């Protein structure tokens, strides 16, 4: 079982990665709170903003090796009138601690359901990026009881296969010693999101240190079947970077429109795998408000 549990490479790697994690989290808007939720898969750290606010809470699910810090430019916009909870996924480099493997889609949904129950959140908006977008969609299919809406930006494999060039490029970039080649690869993958340069640099530094210093044992995001996608019965916003290196965005968009009834599907021209700040902060709160109005109505 131990080989299926993620871990830091060694104590020195833990120190380096967590120092970078804390530096990136320093950009999270104040007041920021923290809570630990015990689950059958380990202790899950959750970062909060406006936790006692009214409205339906937003639960943020970060991309792989990105950590909750990636939500720093978006939290204030989302937190106007509603609580925000950013989950630090077990099995990822961060302040959560994994104690049991997550090797199936059902297990991933079971973990997140325990987190939501531990936070006493009866209804939530799920918002995910990359791997976190896949987790959000997976949850809307397998444990929809608490889900009011689901938003996913560039979720890998859920809607379309990974590009061969993405996989080969990632492997090639990380062969050999850490250096500028890895940073160029990462910058090309994310693209220009419009985030402040110092904030973006701190996030990139954490991600690159995590890629080198953490042994990931989470399951790969699985392709979702047409039947699974058709089962998503809540308001859904699917957004894809028009210049994404991860998958074919138009193929993914076409499949989302064909299978998820009523979904709002957007391909953002020129955007990469990273979330464009202005687009997200303008449109996602509006989408959440409309979903809430439908629930109240």
């Amino acid at each position: 079982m131990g080989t299926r549990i993620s871990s830091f490479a060694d104590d020195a790697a833990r120190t380096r990665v967590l120092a970078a994690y804390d530096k990136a989290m320093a950009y999270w808007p104040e007041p920021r709170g923290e809570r630990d939720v015990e689950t059958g898969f380990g202790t899950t750290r959750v970062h909060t903003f406006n936790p006692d606010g009214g409205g339906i809470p937003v639960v943020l699910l970060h991309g792989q090796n990105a950590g909750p810090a990636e939500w720093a430019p978006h939290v204030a916009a989302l937190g106007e009138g509603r609580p925000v909870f950013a989950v630090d996924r077990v099995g990822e480099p961060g302040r959560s601690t994994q104690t049991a493997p997550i090797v199936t889609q059902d297990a991933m949904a079971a973990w997140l359901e325990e987190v939501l129950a531990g936070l006493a959140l009866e209804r939530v908006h799920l918002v995910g990026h990359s791997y976190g977008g896949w987790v959000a969609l997976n949850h809307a299919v397998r444990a929809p009881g608490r889900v009011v809406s689901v938003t996913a930006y560039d979720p890998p494999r859920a809607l379309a296969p990974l590009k061969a060039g993405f996989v080969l490029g990632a492997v090639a970039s990380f062969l050999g010693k850490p250096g500028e080649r890895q940073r160029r690869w990462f910058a090309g993958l994310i693209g220009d999101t419009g985030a402040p340069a110092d904030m973006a640099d701190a996030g990139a530094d954490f991600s690159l240190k995590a890629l080198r210093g953490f042994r990931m044992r989470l399951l790969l995001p699985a392709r979702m079947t047409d039947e699974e996608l058709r089962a998503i019965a809540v308001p859904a916003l699917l957004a894809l970077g028009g210049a994404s290196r991860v998958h074919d965005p138009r193929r993914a968009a076409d499949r989302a429109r064909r299978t998820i009834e009523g979904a709002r599907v957007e391909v953002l021209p020129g955007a990469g795998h990273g979330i464009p700040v202005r687009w997200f902060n303008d449109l996602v709160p509006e989408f959440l408000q409309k979903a809430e109005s439908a629930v109240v109505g």
Side-chain angles (χ1 to χ4, degrees):
M1 181 178 292
T3 59
R4 294 184 294 168
I5 294 177
S6 303
S7 64
F8 290 96
D10 51 39
D11 289 342
R14 178 193 297 272
T15 298
R16 289 193 302 272
V17 173
L18 291 182
Y21 176 101
D22 291 341
K23 182 178 179 180
M25 281 303 302
Y27 290 93
W28 185 277
E30 295 293 343
R32 173 170 65 91
E34 295 180 349
R35 291 182 60 180
D36 285 334
V37 178
E38 298 300 327
T39 77
F41 301 91
T43 303
T44 301
R45 175 65 54 88
V46 180
H47 301 272
T48 67
F49 180 82
N50 191 26
D52 299 318
I56 296 174
V58 179
V59 174
L60 303 176
L61 302 165
H62 60 79
Q64 198 167 85
N65 285 308
E70 77 159 321
W71 299 111
H74 311 295
V75 171
L78 291 171
E80 291 185 7
R82 62 177 63 85
V84 178
F85 298 86
V87 179
D88 191 347
R89 197 163 40 249
V90 297
E92 294 262 4
R95 294 291 181 182
S96 295
T97 303
Q98 186 180 17
T99 58
I102 296 179
V103 294
T104 68
Q105 293 157 266
D106 287 338
M108 182 63 77
W111 160 75
L112 183 54
E113 189 65 10
E114 287 190 51
V115 173
L116 300 179
L119 293 169
L121 302 180
E122 295 183 1
R123 306 298 304 279
V124 300
H125 300 287
L126 293 181
V127 177
H129 170 226
S130 189
Y131 190 101
W134 175 82
V135 173
L137 294 171
N138 181 68
H139 206 76
V141 172
R142 286 174 165 75
R146 302 176 196 269
V147 182
V148 172
S149 76
V150 60
T151 298
Y153 183 84
D154 231 37
R157 294 198 74 207
L159 301 167
L162 298 180
K163 289 181 177 178
F166 164 69
V167 177
L168 294 174
V171 172
S173 295
F174 284 87
L175 290 175
K177 295 180 180 179
E180 188 58 30
R181 182 170 64 177
Q182 286 94 333
R183 288 193 173 273
R184 286 197 303 269
W185 174 85
F186 187 79
L189 173 68
I190 298 302
D192 182 6
T193 65
D198 54 346
M199 181 187 296
D201 287 346
D205 186 59
F206 165 70
S207 293
L208 291 167
K209 283 184 169 62
L211 283 165
R212 283 283 179 178
F214 192 78
R215 300 188 181 105
M216 190 85 65
R217 297 291 186 268
L218 284 178
L219 76 161
L220 290 173
R223 177 188 182 275
M224 301 188 75
T225 66
D226 286 357
E227 290 73 18
E228 288 172 332
L229 294 171
R230 291 191 183 102
I232 296 175
V234 296
L237 171 59
L238 282 296
L240 303 130
S244 177
R245 297 184 179 184
V246 174
H247 49 200
D248 182 334
R250 284 156 188 82
R251 179 176 176 181
D254 289 346
R255 186 159 181 255
R257 294 187 183 104
R258 189 175 70 250
T259 56
I260 305 175
E261 185 176 356
R264 178 173 179 176
V265 182
E266 296 199 9
V267 178
L268 309 182
H273 190 55
I275 301 173
V277 172
R278 184 174 179 179
W279 169 85
F280 185 98
N281 292 356
D282 286 347
L283 296 185
V284 174
E286 174 191 336
F287 168 76
L288 301 182
Q289 185 60 50
K290 287 181 179 178
E292 288 179 17
S293 298
V295 172
V296 173

